[in-house]
Amino acid sequence: MRVRTMASVAVSACVALVACACGPEKTKAGTEGKPSQSSPSTRADETSATPSAPARTKKPSVGPTGDRPAPRTQAGAIQRYEQYLHALGREDIDTVCEVAGPGAKKAQDEGLGPCTSTYAVVFQMISPVQKKALQTATVDPQRIIVRTPDKIDMPAEAVRASVTFSESELGNSTLEYLKNDWYITD
């Protein structure tokens, strides 16, 4: 499992690097002519070489409401992964680190640093066009891989967005049902 975790960490690092290299000019046809909308998280200091953590916002409810567990179903896993993708597009560090917590902890144990600082760098490496696409991305249930009722793989090819994401750009994620909710563990 340790080797697989390191491979996932390496893929994630490559995803971040490729996302940075693939700016708006290299996106799918039909998106070049559309003006990029500025989001509230866009700051003048984003162009600096030194990454800074995004401003924290009030933590949204990312778990099940009340004391009820999240659905232990494929649909529940898809909903949770879409929540992660949307948060990634909005640069919502709290939600991203909540959903990716167990996987991020593995990466931290391997020397990558805490989730908040790692994703602060990732956010800067995703183009504005890709961020916008992630905010409304969905998952094709026909393309997910159910390993067990508690473990589901979300390949990059399952993500449906206005921009096509390859495995090298987005990576593949494994969600596991832990503590009454779905979390990215790999």
Side-chain angles (χ1 to χ4, degrees):
M1 187 62 132
R2 183 175 190 191
V3 171
R4 183 177 173 160
T5 301
M6 285 307 296
S8 292
V9 168
V11 168
S12 295
C14 290
V15 166
L17 291 173
V18 171
C20 181
C22 296
E25 67 281 352
K26 295 183 182 179
T27 59
K28 279 189 122 176
T31 59
E32 301 98 19
K34 295 181 182 174
S36 169
Q37 293 183 356
S38 181
S39 69
S41 62
T42 303
R43 298 179 313 269
D45 64 342
E46 282 185 344
T47 58
S48 81
T50 309
S52 60
R56 292 214 175 229
T57 59
K58 181 179 176 189
K59 187 172 182 174
S61 173
V62 293
T65 56
D67 291 328
R68 293 178 297 165
R72 192 176 191 171
T73 61
Q74 291 178 30
I78 289 170
Q79 180 181 8
R80 182 74 158 172
Y81 190 61
E82 287 175 351
Q83 184 179 44
Y84 164 80
L85 294 171
H86 300 169
L88 194 59
R90 290 188 320 267
E91 295 188 19
D92 178 352
I93 194 82
D94 290 328
T95 301
V96 167
C97 288
E98 163 67 20
V99 177
K105 176 69 173 125
K106 286 180 188 177
Q108 181 177 350
D109 292 347
E110 297 294 331
L112 234 69
C115 182
T116 52
S117 62
T118 301
Y119 273 100
V121 172
V122 171
F123 290 154
Q124 292 187 3
M125 295 180 171
I126 301 172
S127 76
V129 171
Q130 289 172 321
K131 286 178 188 174
K132 185 169 178 73
L134 285 169
Q135 291 174 23
T136 58
T138 59
V139 174
D140 180 352
Q142 301 298 317
R143 296 193 177 253
I144 66 171
I145 301 162
V146 179
R147 292 206 254 162
T148 69
D150 293 339
K151 190 180 263 190
I152 297 178
D153 290 336
M154 301 286 181
E157 67 186 19
V159 176
R160 297 289 176 244
S162 60
V163 173
T164 301
F165 290 94
S166 68
E167 181 179 340
S168 64
E169 292 173 318
L170 190 59
N172 298 324
S173 296
T174 299
L175 275 76
E176 290 187 60
Y177 194 82
L178 309 165
K179 302 178 191 172
N180 294 323
D181 211 342
W182 291 97
Y183 295 91
I184 296 174
T185 57
D186 208 12

